[in-house]
Amino acid sequence: MIEEPKHDRVTCNKNIMAVHDAMDILNGRWKISIIASLCFNTLRFTDLLREVEGISGKMLSRELKNLEENQLVRRTVLNTQPITVEYKLTDYGHTLKEVIDSLAKWGYNHRKRITGRE
C-alpha cells in the first residue's frame, strides 16, 4: 500500500500562500490570454489586440505593462517608421507555458463534461 504524504498545517499554509502569490500576478480577465497568445509568437500590440478578443487597447496596455514589471513579458521598440513595438515572453514568462497547457486541457475537459461536446 502506498502511503499518502502527510501535510501539516505549515506546509498547507506555505502552499496556499504560494497560490495567492501566483494569483496576484496572474489575476484578472486578460493576463492568462495574453500570456497564452505570446507562448508561441512575438506579437505586435495590434496583433495582440486582435488575438485577445474583447480587450480594449487601454486595458491591453495596462496588462502588458504589469506583465513587463513582473518580468514575464519583454517590450521591444523597433527603430522603424512608424515606430513598431513588439512583445514576447521572457524566459521566465515561458515557465508558465506548462501552467497554460494544463489550464487549456482542464478547460477542454470541463467543457466536454458540462456540454457533452468538444
Side-chain angles (χ1 to χ4, degrees), residues 94-105:
H94 274 287
T95 63
L96 288 167
K97 187 174 181 325
E98 194 175 317
V99 174
I100 301 293
D101 290 344
S102 293
L103 277 172
K105 183 177 179 182

Side-chain angles (χ1 to χ4, degrees), residues 33-74:
S33 296
I34 293 166
I35 292 167
S37 295
L38 292 172
C39 271
F40 302 103
N41 295 309
T42 298
L43 295 172
R44 294 177 179 176
F45 185 87
T46 53
D47 296 330
L48 270 168
L49 208 49
R50 276 191 295 270
E51 192 83 18
V52 182
E53 199 170 304
I55 194 170
S56 69
K58 184 177 179 179
M59 180 58 75
L60 177 59
S61 181
R62 185 181 307 151
E63 296 289 53
L64 285 167
K65 189 175 289 191
N66 185 267
L67 290 168
E68 190 178 8
E69 288 169 357
N70 284 290
Q71 301 176 5
L72 299 172
V73 170
R74 179 170 299 117

